[in-house]
Amino acid sequence: MVAKRCNEWFVVVAFTWRGCRVPIASPWRDKVIFDPNESHQLTGTHAALYRESLGVMLDVFREALFDGSEDYVSIWSFGVTLFDELHWQQQLSLLLSVSRCALNGSGDPEKWSALEKASFYAVYRNVLSYLEIERDLERMDASEMEYTLDEDELDLEDDDDEYDDEYDDGGEEGEEDEQSWQELITAAYQEKCLREGLTPEEIEAYLRYTPDGDGDLQHWFSLLESLADQMLDDRDFEMAATLMDADPEIATVIKTQLGIQPDYFIATADEPSSEAVSQMFEELAQLAGVPTSGDRDDDVAPF
């Protein structure tokens, strides 16, 4: 077996069992740096980043609430298999549990189950999903748009001062205060490094990167991973699919080698009642700082 612990993180390349080489995980991820003595309640820009991601995740659940079906299935993937496989009601319940801990300091993340860790991690992977969407949109070439207009029909002298003034002054109210995902990630990472005693020069060196022409997703992924490490002491939950499908004997040996509890992956999530779901959504919306379902007009679409 090729496996080792790096601080609190493991790197597993493959496991040899009865002459068969079974791949387990890729070693490309950076090690987890988890400090059990650090405060696990998110503050400052890190908390703002978490709330922003949680708020847009709630749009998916708001759609389910508007649908009114207990069997509603969303096409949206948050990027964490263990979390994505749950019913949306279970996802909502788990998100509330971990968000209470992350934003209010209620609970102990070191006692989280695999499902709770996966749910917390989904908030960060959701940010990466939106960065991927932004990258794909930027790749769209305007010249490929099938739109034609006769030159005679184009009024180049049209000068609507009222329209121009509206947008020259900053567009919609409050828009100038909005931060991009990249700005939130960078500011949150800077705050984290300052708390850890790094100098501005060291932080700048960590943040420096060469654009890769692919949305720089690896750079932002690395920073998001570092931020998630404030609450997560491992990523064992990412091995759930592999170990649950593996031969029981193989899975037992691997879990023993890596210090994973035998029942770590088989914990289940309660499915709340319809009444409880509405209450959980309201509380999550308050934690995220977004309108609750009751604050929206009935004829307004969820997105």
Side-chain angles (χ1 to χ4, degrees), residues 61-69 293 296-302:
F61 300 113
R62 182 177 283 115
E63 182 182 15
L65 287 173
F66 271 71
D67 181 84
S69 171
S293 56
R296 300 176 66 95
D297 296 333
D298 291 339
D299 59 347
V300 176

Side-chain angles (χ1 to χ4, degrees), residues 1-282:
M1 177 180 183
V2 183
K4 63 178 180 178
R5 286 269 177 181
C6 298
N7 287 348
E8 293 295 329
W9 179 234
F10 60 86
V11 175
V12 185
V13 180
F15 181 81
T16 303
W17 178 259
R18 295 177 180 174
C20 299
R21 193 167 176 81
V22 182
I24 300 299
S26 171
W28 62 267
R29 184 196 295 281
D30 293 336
K31 63 185 179 183
V32 168
I33 303 176
F34 174 80
D35 183 356
N37 299 314
E38 182 181 8
S39 171
H40 301 310
Q41 182 175 350
L42 307 184
T43 59
T45 311
H46 190 174
L49 172 66
Y50 185 95
R51 288 191 178 95
E52 186 71 19
S53 180
L54 180 62
V56 295
M57 290 176 79
L58 288 181
D59 281 339
V60 176
F61 300 113
R62 182 177 283 115
E63 182 182 15
L65 287 173
F66 271 71
D67 181 84
S69 171
E70 293 185 359
D71 299 324
Y72 175 84
V73 177
S74 172
I75 62 172
W76 183 262
S77 169
F78 294 105
V80 182
T81 302
L82 201 59
F83 182 75
D84 286 330
E85 290 178 344
L86 298 171
H87 294 160
W88 69 270
Q89 298 94 330
Q90 296 172 311
Q91 293 175 333
L92 202 67
S93 177
L94 287 163
L95 275 176
L96 178 57
S97 175
V98 299
S99 296
R100 283 172 174 166
C101 184
L103 299 174
N104 292 342
S106 304
D108 184 356
E110 294 183 61
K111 297 179 180 179
W112 280 352
S113 67
L115 289 175
E116 287 172 312
K117 290 183 178 182
S119 302
F120 176 80
Y121 188 52
V123 179
Y124 294 82
R125 288 304 301 266
N126 183 59
V127 177
L128 190 68
S129 295
Y130 274 88
L131 290 174
E132 290 176 329
I133 292 172
E134 289 180 1
R135 179 215 42 201
D136 293 341
L137 290 174
E138 290 175 358
R139 285 178 171 178
M140 295 177 61
D141 188 353
S143 65
E144 295 179 0
M145 296 178 63
E146 297 181 0
Y147 177 77
T148 59
L149 184 65
D150 273 342
E151 190 173 331
D152 293 340
E153 297 178 6
L154 186 62
D155 185 2
L156 299 177
E157 299 301 323
D158 186 16
D159 184 12
D160 190 335
D161 294 335
E162 207 170 295
Y163 178 87
D164 290 341
D165 289 343
E166 178 184 349
Y167 287 90
D168 287 343
D169 290 340
E172 296 182 6
E173 183 179 354
E175 186 175 317
E176 65 275 6
D177 298 328
E178 294 181 0
Q179 290 181 288
S180 67
W181 291 115
Q182 291 88 341
E183 289 170 333
L184 285 170
I185 296 169
T186 300
Y189 185 78
Q190 288 172 325
E191 291 175 3
K192 178 179 186 292
C193 291
L194 286 172
R195 286 196 308 271
E196 294 172 353
L198 275 68
T199 66
E201 292 75 20
E202 290 173 321
I203 298 173
E204 183 180 352
Y206 279 121
L207 290 172
R208 190 179 302 122
Y209 67 97
T210 302
D212 60 10
D214 192 36
D216 310 313
L217 295 181
Q218 184 57 51
H219 169 73
W220 300 115
F221 174 82
S222 178
L223 298 187
L224 285 167
E225 289 291 293
S226 178
L227 292 172
D229 289 348
Q230 183 172 335
M231 301 282 284
L232 294 179
D233 58 353
D234 61 51
R235 302 289 192 276
D236 290 344
F237 59 86
E238 293 191 307
M239 302 180 68
T242 301
L243 293 182
M244 291 179 74
D245 291 339
D247 183 291
E249 293 182 74
I250 298 177
T252 298
V253 174
I254 295 174
K255 285 189 282 189
T256 300
Q257 289 285 336
L258 297 177
I260 300 174
Q261 294 298 317
D263 60 349
Y264 182 71
F265 297 117
I266 60 176
T268 58
D270 295 333
E271 192 152 329
S273 65
S274 300
E275 295 76 12
V277 164
S278 297
Q279 294 174 358
M280 288 188 295
F281 184 90
E282 299 289 327

